[in-house]
């Protein structure tokens, strides 16, 4: 029997609350481990394999597009999407005081989602029964997301106030809502295109022109926007930033929607220009590139954490700027590929490495990050690997500097080591006893001085 305390009009069952919190943490840990698994093998190792093949052939044209799309899908949905769903279930369920069945729904969503993403990857690689397994994977993914949206959709924005009052507290919810709509649009488009491929295609790969548009949904319409939302929620406190400009973030969202619309119409220059303007507005609104006005919260993480968040936003601007140049000058996919990886590795992955290692240990049962030094190493390696990748992809693919071809596999291996160190650090963190149960004096529980 749980201890009950009468408070005001209702009563609080503390035992039930503790069990619910433990259930939420278990659920989140499973989502996180699943995301890491997708990131490592289906995502990164296949990406490295593809890049080594491309560097060997000196062209991306001879590598099977189904394999390239399997890599991209595993990274965007298998890793980033899985993390977003897990964190979304955890934090929105807590904030919204949603009933007990939310945890059961989270498990249903996880099962549908994981099966869908795994099926998509395997189908693209091995082609077994692909004509019906490909659309089946898209249905499963969409159902996984719908269960999430139906579960968390009812909670109230007022619960998410930041230190900056109602407007600052709501704009992050607007961004997360817009990113969730982008997530839904991405999976709906994916469903339609996989059905089309199954009915009329020669293989599971989506055709190049259509895939270019789909990738805009998969990046600019969904994870980028959700990361802006989480940035508005957490960065003012974590980085000690000056007060946000919520109107500028709303403008960034509106311009970004216009950019996505332009890309869907095939107006690539207008789309690139809109993404550049939207990224600039987002950085201005968050004041992330300005100085901290309060000490950043770096206890327990690597002291360069605030620097890497700023580097991520510089990558966002670079990615958008390269997309403008791609619309003007791309001949062999090098500028588009470089823009995409500046966005996915430089911006998204750096943000997930930085913010993930900052918040996930606490969310998963008040644990302490296994190694702040590993966190620093993962971020430095990612930055170096991404820089080499973006520079050499432009130079080699576009034939401006063919001597850069041998650097591409080097960049891939550096990025692979970075993601492995990141995954190892999180897995070791999750496998340790929570700090409050272990006692802070025990070996291994070191807090890095602020
Ligand atoms: C070790 C790191 C990585 C390597 C070696 C790698 C390699 C590749 C390669 C070779 C391609 C083919 C197109 C091109 O040549 O640019 C590609 C495409 C792509 N990658 Fe990566 N990648 C890495 C990390 C990531 C990450 C972390 C993400 C997302 C979070 C990502 C998302 C994508 C996407 C969306 C595509 C486009 C797929 C498509 O054409 O449908 N990659 N990657």
């Amino acid at each position: 029997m749980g201890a009950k305390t009468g408070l005001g009009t209702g009563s609080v069952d503390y035992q039930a609350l503790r069990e619910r919190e433990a259930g939420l943490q278990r659920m989140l840990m499973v989502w996180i481990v699943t995301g890491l698994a997708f990131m490592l093998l289906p995502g990164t190792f296949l990406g490295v394999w593809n890049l080594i093949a491309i560097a060997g052939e000196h062209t991306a044209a001879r590598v099977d597009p189904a394999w390239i799309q399997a890599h991209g899908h595993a990274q965007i949905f298998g890793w980033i999407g899985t993390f977003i769903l897990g964190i979304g279930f955890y934090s929105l369920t807590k904030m919204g005081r949603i009933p007990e069945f939310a945890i059961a729904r989270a498990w249903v969503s996880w099962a549908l989602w994981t099966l869908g993403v795994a099926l998509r990857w395997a189908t693209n690689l091995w082609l077994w029964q692909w004509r019906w397994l490909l659309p089946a994977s898209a249905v499963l993914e969409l159902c996984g997301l719908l269960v999430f949206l139906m579960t968390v959709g009812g909670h109230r924005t007022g619960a998410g106030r930041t230190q900056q009052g109602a407007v600052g507290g709501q704009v992050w919810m607007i961004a997360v809502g817009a990113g969730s709509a982008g997530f839904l649009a991405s999976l709906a488009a994916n469903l339609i295109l996989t059905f089309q491929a199954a009915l009329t295609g020669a293989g599971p790969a989506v055709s190049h022109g259509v895939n270019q548009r789909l990738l805009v949904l998969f990046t600019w319409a969904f994870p980028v926007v959700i990361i802006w939302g989480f940035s508005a929620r957490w960065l003012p406190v974590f980085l000690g930033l000056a007060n946000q400009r919520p109107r500028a973030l709303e403008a960034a969202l509106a311009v970004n929607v216009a950019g996505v619309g332009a890309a869907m119409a095939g107006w690539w220059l207008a789309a690139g220009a809109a993404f550049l303007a939207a990224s600039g507005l987002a950085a201005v609104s968050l004041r992330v590139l300005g100085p901290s006005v309060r000490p950043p919260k770096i206890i327990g993480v690597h002291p360069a954490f605030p620097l890497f968040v700023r580097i991520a936003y510089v990558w966002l601007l670079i990615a958008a700027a390269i997309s403008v140049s791609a619309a003007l000058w791309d001949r062999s996919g090098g500028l588009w590929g470089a823009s995409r990886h500046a966005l996915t590795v430089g911006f998204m992955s750096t943000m997930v490495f930085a913010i993930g290692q900052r918040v996930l240990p606490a969310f998963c049962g008040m644990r302490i990050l296994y190694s702040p030094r590993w966190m620093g190493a993962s971020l430095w390696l990612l930055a170096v690997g991404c820089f080499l990748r973006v520079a050499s992809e432009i130079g080699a693919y576009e034939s401006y500097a063919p001597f850069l071809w041998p650097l591409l596999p080097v960049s891939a291996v550096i990025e692979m080591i970075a993601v492995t160190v990141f995954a190892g650090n999180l897995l070791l963190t999750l496998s340790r006893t929570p700090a409050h149960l272990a006692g802070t004096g025990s070996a291994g529980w070191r807090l890095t001085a602020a």
Side-chain angles (χ1 to χ4, degrees), residues 27 30-31 85 89 100-116 139-151:
M27 177 273 298
V30 170
W31 280 97
L85 288 173
F89 265 120
E100 184 62 32
F101 66 77
I103 299 180
R105 292 242 194 117
W107 285 108
V108 172
S109 170
W110 172 83
L112 293 165
W113 180 255
T114 306
L115 185 60
V139 170
L140 286 166
E141 287 175 351
L142 189 59
C143 289
L145 178 65
L146 289 175
V147 172
F148 168 78
L149 294 176
M150 283 177 339
T151 309

Side-chain angles (χ1 to χ4, degrees), residues 4-25:
K4 291 195 178 184
T5 308
L7 281 177
T9 53
S11 68
V12 180
D13 185 339
Y14 287 109
Q15 179 64 20
L17 279 180
R18 264 198 299 275
E19 279 166 15
R20 187 159 174 268
E21 175 65 29
L24 272 174
Q25 287 167 5

Side-chain angles (χ1 to χ4, degrees), residues 205-217:
V206 176
S207 69
H208 176 71
V210 176
N211 194 42
Q212 283 280 96
R213 290 167 171 76
L214 196 59
L215 288 172
V216 168
L217 283 180

Side-chain angles (χ1 to χ4, degrees), residues 185-210:
S186 298
L187 290 186
N190 182 55
L191 181 71
I192 293 167
L193 293 172
T194 50
F195 264 96
Q196 201 178 42
L199 292 173
T200 60
V206 176
S207 69
H208 176 71
V210 176

